[in-house]
Amino acid sequence: SYFDFTGSLANGNASTFSLPRNEEERVSYYVGFVAADGGGGMKNPYGAGILRGAGDVIIWALRSAAGELVVDFNSLENLRDRLNAFKIDLYLNDPEVRSLEWIREVILPIVPCVEINAAGGWSLAWFDYTANESNAVGRLKEGVNVSRSSPAAVINGDAIANQVTVQYRPAIDGRGFASQVTITPDFYNKGYKTLAGGLIVAGEIVDPSYPNRIAMASKSRHGVRRLDIGLAQTWDDTTATLIANNFIIARALALTAVTYQGLSDELEEARPGDVYLLSDSGMSWDARVAIVQDVTIGAGEPPEVTLILPDPLLMRPKGD
């Protein structure tokens, strides 16, 4: 985000006191964004306005300060529009910051992407737990082109969450967040929050709650599992709701992981985020949607992939 100290204050007065009067004097500011103005964002170096979409911000950061990192900008461009659904409202004022470290710390935790080594260098891949058969890039069959090399195991059993509250838009007075949204298994649950740590005060905020079928299914299996998340990255209502829904998708139901070794060279081109249809009669799996989590290639061994099998309830309807 950026400032123009030559302008006027909100009340129309000139900002004559905005800079120190002498070199010994220091002036500090607490800065917030007015929700009605659409939050914050990065100054657009390519034209007027600001950059807020996560795709725009990632590409801007890497083009501005990628250093020696080789980046596959073509593959990032293919993700730009999907990533731009997430609005980023931040400031950046550290001249020593490294773009990749900043992206990993600030943006990647809130978008459903994984890092990959693409054909042209570093890039991202969309990791979609709701993938269906139309997203598959190939088929894997135990004993034909892959061999199971690990037992199947649930990897998120201690991290199940089915009532997710995202708090966002940091409060002007520095105490917590001014807004929140809740994705809940309960049709009648409402989220309540105040700026005074839960006390009833004037100006109490009643924030929206949205029932969710995946959360409801999770509650029937695991009971209510709550998760509260604080986001300084955004002031945007739609982004906060999108992030809350994504946490439900990733954590409400069990995710199963299993590793296979390739019996051919088919897996040498596999990348994290790729979707395959997996058949394994020993596990009673017939064309199950499986997502590549990790790929190991080299050391004179056949390629090996770890696959994530989402709960079938997460799958998008065919054709979507």
Side-chain angles (χ1 to χ4, degrees), residues 11-51:
N11 60 10
N13 295 325
S15 54
T16 55
F17 58 86
S18 61
L19 297 176
R21 289 171 295 182
N22 56 65
E23 62 183 20
E24 288 80 21
E25 191 176 54
R26 299 180 63 184
V27 176
S28 61
Y29 301 90
Y30 182 85
V31 179
F33 300 108
V34 179
D37 291 342
M42 299 290 182
K43 184 176 182 181
N44 186 355
Y46 314 115
I50 58 174
L51 300 179

Side-chain angles (χ1 to χ4, degrees), residues 26-262:
R26 299 180 63 184
V27 176
S28 61
Y29 301 90
Y30 182 85
V31 179
F33 300 108
V34 179
D37 291 342
M42 299 290 182
K43 184 176 182 181
N44 186 355
Y46 314 115
I50 58 174
L51 300 179
R52 292 187 71 204
D56 291 337
V57 172
I58 288 170
I59 291 171
W60 163 81
L62 291 171
R63 288 198 183 278
S64 300
E68 297 180 358
L69 178 69
V70 178
V71 179
D72 189 332
F73 285 106
N74 288 332
S75 64
L76 286 179
E77 288 289 350
N78 292 333
L79 282 178
R80 183 196 287 261
D81 288 344
R82 296 179 78 177
L83 286 167
N84 278 347
F86 298 83
K87 304 305 180 187
I88 305 298
D89 300 314
L90 286 172
Y91 64 87
L92 179 61
N93 62 355
D94 183 354
E96 302 299 323
V97 71
R98 296 178 182 272
S99 58
L100 184 55
E101 293 175 359
W102 183 79
I103 290 169
R104 285 171 172 165
E105 179 181 352
V106 173
I107 300 181
L108 294 190
I110 65 170
V111 297
C113 287
V114 291
E115 297 180 57
I116 63 170
N117 290 316
W122 183 93
S123 189
L124 296 172
W126 201 262
F127 205 93
D128 186 3
Y129 291 115
T130 70
N132 61 26
E133 296 89 346
S134 67
N135 302 118
V137 299
R139 291 178 176 266
L140 302 176
K141 187 171 184 179
E142 209 283 332
V144 177
N145 56 359
V146 292
S147 174
R148 185 168 9 101
S149 57
S150 81
V154 173
I155 59 172
N156 66 334
D158 59 351
I160 295 292
N162 49 43
Q163 183 164 301
V164 175
T165 297
V166 169
Q167 300 175 345
Y168 62 105
R169 195 176 289 134
I172 298 300
D173 60 7
R175 294 183 295 172
F177 298 88
S179 300
Q180 72 178 38
V181 63
T182 299
I183 306 299
T184 174
D186 187 348
F187 271 105
Y188 304 100
N189 182 70
K190 291 294 294 182
Y192 292 90
K193 179 176 178 292
T194 72
L195 299 183
L199 300 176
I200 303 300
V201 297
E204 180 182 15
I205 297 173
V206 180
D207 296 287
S209 293
Y210 300 104
N212 180 281
R213 66 176 183 84
I214 296 170
M216 294 168 66
S218 175
K219 178 185 175 182
S220 69
R221 301 177 188 181
H222 307 287
V224 177
R225 303 280 188 91
R226 295 178 174 84
L227 175 66
D228 293 334
I229 303 162
L231 292 180
Q233 290 97 320
T234 190
W235 281 51
D236 182 60
D237 299 330
T238 301
T239 297
T241 304
L242 179 59
I243 291 170
N245 273 300
N246 283 343
F247 268 92
I248 287 288
I249 290 170
R251 296 186 57 170
L253 300 176
L255 300 172
T256 301
V258 62
T259 300
Y260 288 84
Q261 193 170 63

